[in-house]
Amino acid sequence: MTDSGNPDVTVEVRDAHVSYRVFEEPAMGLKQGFARGRVRRQHRMIPAVQGVTLDLFERETLGLIGPNGAGKSTLLAAMTGLLPLRSGTIRGRSRPSLLGVSSVLRPALSGRRNILIGGLALGFTRAEVERRMDEIIDFAGLRADIDRPMRTYSSGMRARLRFAIATARIPEILLIDEALTVGDEEFRRLAAERIDDVRSASGSVVLVTHNMNEIRRFCDRVVWLDEGRIRAAGDPAEIVDSYLAAPSPNSR
Amino acid sequence: MADEGGTTSTADDGGEAAARPLIDLTSRPSTLAYLREAWRRREFAIVVPAQDLRAQNMDTTLGQLWHLVNPALLVGVYFLVFGVIIDTRRGVDNFLGFLIIGVVLFHLTQRVTLEASGSITQNLGLIRSIQFPRILLPAASVNGQTAAFVPALVLALLAVLATGELPTLRWLVLPAVLVAQFAFNFGVALLVARIGTTMRDLRQILPHLFRLLFYGSGVIFSVDAFVQSTAWRRAFALNPVYDVITCARWCLLGEPVDLWVVAGLVLWCIVMPALGFVVFHRSEQRLGA
């Protein structure tokens, strides 16, 4: 096993390959199912990440950029163990947490109830959520509105609530996938604060975004992914410049 | 800051900060560790469906009362059609009590199954962003529908009392029957949750399967009174829903119950959860892909 041996490494990705299945049709129709006499749908394996090797260090914010379909989100999903690797290894100090609590929240319910729901989805017990409730409400800056239904919130308020729930426990390794683009300036200030919290607790942050200003603002190092491989890595200013200059049809 | 463990507070993080060993992030936990983690997070499968039930009727005039009114209307319609218009009361002393037990218990299994069949496909966003034991999703369907069933059960008990039945020692057996049904429902929920991910047509097919099952479960007529052959009657014991309903009627109304039916219920409430778990757990990692 190739081991970096570096005590500062929080996540170590070695020659990771990830493929996912894409179904040829949205869903199997009964007709085809019976006609072919089998239950499985037709699918292709799409190689999304093809041999990525990288280390993530303590107190670092790593930016992940690349055109759509470059494998950025897939790599994050593999790092949290959401997608199985076809080959290679990913090891880490603890399981990274991906900012993604939004899908479990219920617009019809109040902010307070959503904090409970989101917290439980993230693995807190009910008692743990209750204990952190005030802290989460204050961090989100929603003290006055917390008992109103979430559907009455502005998009900025919603983004703050989601972010406050998802980072209620400061994770050691925080993965952010296009989550900062939504929301207002107040929200971005909040996010910056949390990212600093993670780093000052010797953690690491990975930020996936198409917004180069976010990369310049938050990141210490940037990895440019293209077609599932690392095309370049290094200083944010340099990489962003060459990324923007690259004649890639679907890059922004 | 408070504690700095990952969101899945495992025993191997925490401890000394410097040079902690790296753990494999892509490996699958053992089945035992999986079940332990699911149990630790069990409140998710209780609180979330409870909140959804609250939200469900929030905008209606009757609000939460609908959980009581709905089954009452349902039984009323069946009573009108099968008790009065087409008379299927043959061989039953207390037809209203007989009917309400059948309808309420049948609908519990039906609701759980329909709800669970979409429990994975309707939560793909969650599955793709958070690592947690997926068994919690069908479990939430089972818990939510079972909680929604409690008012209907109370209604059934009241109806049985109102139609002149007196509580006997047999009533004490009813909780065991309901626990057996819960276990069976849980197994079915796991099975359909898994099948629903590869066969989206399932949700269209299920209502029809349940309509067929409805007539094969003796919900609206007494199988003993309508079916003469003993062999055929025994065949009904293979139907788990028939077993549940018949045992419950024995408890509350003193209707006869065959030993085959009891054996059928015992078997189903053990085999179904085991089968459901194996099928669900085996392909769990691919569920979100």
Side-chain angles (χ1 to χ4, degrees):
Chain A
M1 164 150 289
T2 45
D3 202 317
S4 62
N6 188 333
D8 293 340
V9 170
T10 54
V11 176
E12 174 205 88
V13 181
R14 289 289 173 273
D15 194 28
H17 287 78
V18 187
S19 303
Y20 58 87
R21 292 185 299 171
V22 173
F23 293 108
E24 303 279 294
E25 328 138 20
M28 185 194 74
L30 263 189
K31 246 183 357 194
Q32 298 96 308
F34 284 124
R36 291 175 193 149
R38 60 209 189 87
V39 185
R40 292 237 177 268
R41 279 184 276 157
Q42 286 283 90
H43 66 262
R44 286 183 299 157
M45 296 302 283
I46 304 289
V49 173
Q50 310 182 56
V52 166
T53 293
L54 63 88
D55 282 326
L56 194 59
F57 296 96
E58 274 181 12
R59 296 169 208 280
E60 172 182 56
T61 303
L62 177 77
L64 215 49
I65 60 172
N68 291 324
K72 307 182 296 291
S73 301
T74 307
L75 183 57
L76 289 197
M79 285 168 76
T80 54
L82 289 166
L83 283 176
L85 292 185
R86 215 182 61 216
S87 65
T89 59
I90 300 181
R91 302 192 305 147
R93 283 194 186 164
S94 58
R95 195 173 284 287
S97 46
L98 183 64
L99 269 192
V101 75
S102 49
S103 46
V104 76
L105 302 185
R106 309 293 204 251
L109 297 173
S110 69
R112 189 185 297 276
R113 289 183 189 280
N114 273 302
I115 292 177
L116 177 61
I117 290 176
L120 291 173
L122 290 169
F124 290 107
T125 63
R126 193 183 184 131
E128 281 171 333
V129 181
E130 306 285 359
R131 225 181 306 130
R132 286 161 204 258
M133 183 64 81
D134 285 326
E135 199 186 313
I136 297 171
I137 294 171
D138 288 335
F139 183 72
L142 290 170
R143 178 55 67 189
D145 308 288
I146 201 64
D147 291 309
R148 280 202 287 129
M150 204 176 86
R151 60 160 180 257
T152 65
Y153 289 10
S154 70
S155 63
M157 290 160 79
R158 246 174 276 165
R160 271 165 16 221
L161 181 67
R162 282 198 297 265
F163 194 76
I165 296 171
T167 60
R169 179 191 285 155
I170 312 289
E172 184 171 25
I173 302 152
L174 176 64
L175 312 179
I176 303 174
D177 191 354
E178 290 286 355
L180 304 185
T181 327
V182 294
D184 45 20
E185 189 47 41
E186 165 69 5
F187 167 66
R188 270 185 285 278
R189 193 193 53 74
L190 219 65
E193 195 182 307
R194 257 316 187 242
I195 288 174
D196 280 343
D197 288 342
V198 172
R199 291 163 41 144
S200 55
S202 302
S204 318
V205 179
V206 181
L207 179 62
V208 166
T209 182
H210 284 295
N211 184 331
M212 293 305 135
N213 290 331
E214 277 174 34
I215 294 287
R216 292 196 192 95
R217 178 170 170 183
F218 292 113
C219 298
D220 310 303
R221 189 160 65 101
V222 171
V223 166
W224 173 4
L225 278 185
D226 198 9
E227 294 186 342
R229 297 187 181 84
I230 294 181
R231 181 150 161 192
D235 176 63
E238 275 171 41
I239 304 288
V240 165
D241 283 347
S242 50
Y243 174 67
L244 291 176
S248 178
N250 58 347
S251 70
R252 286 213 232 148
Chain B
M1 269 297 129
D3 43 326
E4 302 142 24
T7 46
T8 50
S9 67
T10 46
D12 30 19
D13 53 56
E16 69 275 51
R20 272 184 294 131
L22 300 183
I23 54 168
D24 188 351
L25 296 178
T26 52
S27 68
R28 242 184 125 177
S30 69
T31 303
L32 194 67
Y34 174 87
L35 286 173
R36 215 180 287 134
E37 176 70 4
W39 179 250
R40 195 184 71 73
R41 289 171 169 246
R42 65 191 175 280
E43 283 172 309
F44 173 84
I46 298 165
V47 172
V48 174
Q51 297 294 343
D52 281 341
L53 285 181
R54 268 183 59 87
Q56 222 172 58
N57 294 315
M58 225 147 63
D59 303 331
T60 60
T61 317
L62 290 183
Q64 301 309 312
L65 265 183
W66 272 114
H67 294 300
L68 198 64
V69 176
N70 232 328
L73 288 177
L74 194 66
V75 171
V77 170
Y78 281 126
F79 188 75
L80 186 69
V81 174
F82 294 104
V84 181
I85 301 174
I86 317 167
D87 193 351
T88 60
R89 282 180 282 192
R90 178 149 42 114
V92 183
D93 297 330
N94 177 356
F95 188 72
L96 184 65
F98 180 90
L99 184 70
I100 198 167
I101 294 169
V103 169
V104 164
L105 294 181
F106 181 86
H107 272 88
L108 172 60
T109 294
Q110 181 177 19
R111 292 296 318 151
V112 166
T113 309
L114 290 180
E115 184 84 7
S117 66
S119 62
I120 298 297
T121 48
Q122 288 173 358
N123 285 297
L124 285 180
L126 188 61
I127 286 175
R128 285 177 183 153
S129 52
I130 299 178
Q131 179 68 276
F132 65 96
R134 311 305 190 205
I135 194 174
L136 291 173
L137 293 172
S141 303
V142 181
N143 290 338
Q145 293 306 319
T146 305
F149 148 85
V150 170
L153 177 69
V154 172
L155 184 78
L157 292 177
L158 289 178
V160 168
L161 287 172
T163 49
E165 307 289 336
L166 291 173
T168 62
L169 280 177
R170 284 180 179 184
W171 283 45
L172 297 176
V173 184
L174 185 67
V177 176
L178 294 178
V179 168
Q181 188 186 11
F182 182 87
F184 171 76
N185 288 349
F186 199 178
V188 174
L190 290 174
L191 194 64
V192 294
R194 167 65 189 90
I195 297 173
T197 57
T198 37
M199 201 173 124
R200 303 283 168 101
D201 302 33
L202 183 68
R203 280 172 81 75
Q204 302 298 324
I205 301 167
L206 277 176
H208 302 289
L209 285 181
F210 269 96
R211 196 145 306 144
L212 195 64
L213 191 66
F214 184 81
Y215 296 106
S217 303
V219 178
I220 45 162
F221 63 90
S222 160
V223 170
D224 284 348
F226 278 79
V227 180
Q228 307 303 326
S229 132
T230 342
W232 271 110
R233 278 195 208 166
R234 289 212 176 132
F236 272 86
L238 292 172
N239 174 355
V241 183
Y242 175 74
D243 297 341
V244 169
I245 292 174
T246 308
C247 288
R249 281 172 180 158
W250 175 84
C251 294
L252 297 178
L253 303 175
E255 291 282 321
V257 66
D258 201 288
L259 214 61
W260 288 92
V261 168
V262 179
L265 181 61
V266 171
L267 210 64
W268 275 114
C269 79
I270 294 167
V271 170
M272 202 62 209
L275 177 73
F277 181 75
V278 169
V279 169
F280 186 85
H281 189 54
R282 218 177 33 149
S283 57
E284 173 147 350
Q285 267 214 321
R286 287 183 278 123
L287 283 184

